[in-house]
């Protein structure tokens, strides 16, 4: 099943208890608001599906996993309300993953920027290709990784999160991400990465759903207030995105297109 959204899509596949959610956008798998909403909805649906035992989150193509927020959409924001609504999309996805009673495996085949790092942090187990570099570029845009910050800090700790957030122009490699706990595994080939994703997904599909549900609650303990917290963070970004500095920076970054566009899957 494929839901097409603003030149992109969210594709859902079911196979013996494994639900695969694949998202795509031609601009390096960036995330416009409607794509964020669609992704959150599909995670919620999979959460309620008795046939789904485990979820695999992936993106299309072989370059970028996710370039974060859609620059085209950021450029169109004109009010704080519009800004808050857009950044709330990331809150919606993170909270959907947090509340999901099934484990979510992240397949990270390429670079992660901004919100892409947030997605990687919010899955329960991240398996990556060794070319999957990460960067939080928000501060360089005049905003900050506010909405995704709690998820990233929860996964890698305050020190590593501050390093990423402050040095907003520096790429960190997959080995750094593994040492800090963002990536659980790093593989030297796409084939090995996919083998590991499939191995773990198939194992979890045969485990006790009730046991996994209780384990998920345990692992996410202390995040019960995130519905309100992430909304507050979205309001901060929604205000900052209107500054002259941010508008100029977004236009400059958008023009540069620092991550190569993702090819449309065949």
């Amino acid at each position: 099943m494929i839901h097409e959204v603003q030149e992109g899509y969210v594709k859902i596949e079911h196979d013996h208890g494994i639900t695969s959610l694949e998202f795509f956008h031609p601009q390096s798998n960036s995330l416009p608001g409607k794509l964020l909403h669609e992704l959150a909805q599909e995670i919620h649906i999979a959460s309620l599906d008795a046939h789904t035992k485990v979820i695999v989150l992936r993106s299309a193509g072989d370059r970028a996993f996710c370039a974060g927020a859609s620059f085209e959409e950021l450029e169109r924001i004109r009010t704080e309300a519009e800004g808050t609504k857009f950044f709330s999309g990331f809150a919606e996805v993170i909270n959907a993953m947090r509340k999901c009673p099934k484990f979510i495996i992240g397949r990270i085949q390429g670079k992660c920027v901004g919100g892409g790092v947030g997605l990687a942090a919010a899955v329960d187990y991240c398996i990556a290709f060794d070319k999957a570099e990460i960067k939080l570029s928000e501060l360089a845009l005049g905003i900050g990784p506010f909405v995704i910050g709690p998820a990233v800090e929860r996964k890698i700790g305050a020190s590593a999160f501050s390093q990423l957030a402050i040095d907003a122009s520096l790429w960190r490699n997959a080995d750094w991400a593994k040492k800090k706990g963002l990536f659980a595994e790093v593989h030297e080939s796409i084939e090995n990465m996919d083998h590991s994703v499939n191995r773990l997904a198939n194992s979890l599909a045969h485990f006790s759903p009730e046991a996994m549900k209780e384990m998920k609650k345990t692992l996410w303990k202390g995040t019960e207030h995130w519905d309100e917290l992430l909304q507050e963070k979205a309001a901060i970004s929604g205000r900052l995105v209107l500054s002259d500095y941010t508008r100029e920076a977004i236009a400059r970054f958008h023009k540069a297109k620092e991550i190569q566009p993702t090819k449309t899957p065949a």
Side-chain angles (χ1 to χ4, degrees):
M1 184 186 305
I2 298 178
H3 298 288
E4 295 186 0
V5 182
Q6 292 183 330
E7 299 184 305
Y9 66 70
V10 175
K11 182 167 67 174
I12 306 96
E13 295 181 347
H14 304 283
D15 182 30
H16 295 90
I18 302 168
T19 293
S20 177
L21 301 180
E22 179 183 279
F23 64 93
F24 167 77
H25 192 275
Q27 294 300 321
S28 303
N29 289 325
S30 60
L31 294 167
K34 288 186 177 179
L35 195 56
L36 285 165
H37 179 70
E38 189 67 38
L39 193 56
Q41 286 294 104
E42 291 303 330
I43 292 169
H44 178 66
I45 291 171
S47 298
L48 302 175
D49 179 19
H51 298 292
T52 296
K53 309 301 182 185
V54 61
I55 298 169
V56 176
L57 178 67
R58 58 193 296 148
S59 66
D62 57 5
R63 291 184 176 177
F65 169 71
C66 178
S70 165
F71 279 58
E72 292 181 355
E73 194 154 337
L74 289 176
E75 287 182 312
R76 293 198 295 268
I77 294 172
R78 291 293 178 267
T79 67
E80 282 192 31
E82 290 176 354
T84 299
K85 180 180 179 181
F86 172 74
F87 288 104
S88 292
F90 286 97
E92 186 181 8
V93 173
I94 291 172
N95 279 321
M97 288 197 276
R98 172 179 68 86
K99 295 175 182 178
C100 177
K102 289 84 184 283
F103 284 131
I104 303 174
I105 302 169
R107 176 192 182 271
I108 314 298
Q109 86 284 14
K111 291 183 175 181
C112 304
V113 183
V117 179
L119 293 184
V123 301
D124 299 296
Y125 196 97
C126 226
I127 300 175
F129 180 39
D130 67 2
K131 301 299 188 292
E133 298 177 304
I134 65 171
K135 179 169 68 171
L136 291 182
S137 58
E138 287 91 340
L139 190 61
L141 297 174
I143 43 179
F146 297 109
V147 178
I148 66 170
V152 179
E153 183 177 350
R154 167 187 169 272
K155 185 61 68 76
I156 67 175
S159 177
F161 170 57
S162 68
Q163 293 171 38
L164 281 176
I166 291 171
D167 197 344
S169 62
L170 181 66
W171 288 100
R172 260 73 175 197
N173 63 28
D175 184 58
W176 186 95
K178 184 175 184 294
K179 288 178 178 177
K180 301 302 182 183
L182 181 67
F183 297 160
E185 301 177 20
V186 171
H187 295 274
E188 295 180 355
S189 71
I190 294 292
E191 291 77 16
N192 287 348
M193 176 190 66
D194 283 334
H195 175 77
S196 189
V197 169
N198 293 335
R199 175 198 59 79
L200 180 59
N202 278 289
S203 293
L204 292 175
H206 291 89
F207 289 174
S208 163
E210 283 302 313
M212 290 190 287
K213 178 180 179 180
E214 292 302 322
M215 179 60 72
K216 180 98 182 218
K217 287 181 183 178
T218 299
L219 295 176
W220 284 87
K221 184 179 179 180
T223 64
E224 295 81 6
H225 64 299
W226 278 22
D227 280 336
E228 296 77 21
L229 176 65
L230 300 193
Q231 189 63 34
E232 292 171 4
K233 301 290 187 181
I236 296 173
S237 294
R239 171 172 53 83
L240 291 174
V241 77
L242 297 175
S243 72
D244 291 338
Y245 180 95
T246 298
R247 290 202 171 283
E248 292 171 6
I250 288 173
R252 189 166 60 248
F253 272 63
H254 190 191
K255 185 177 181 180
K257 293 182 180 178
E258 57 179 353
I259 298 181
Q260 293 297 316
T262 301
K263 295 178 181 179
T264 303

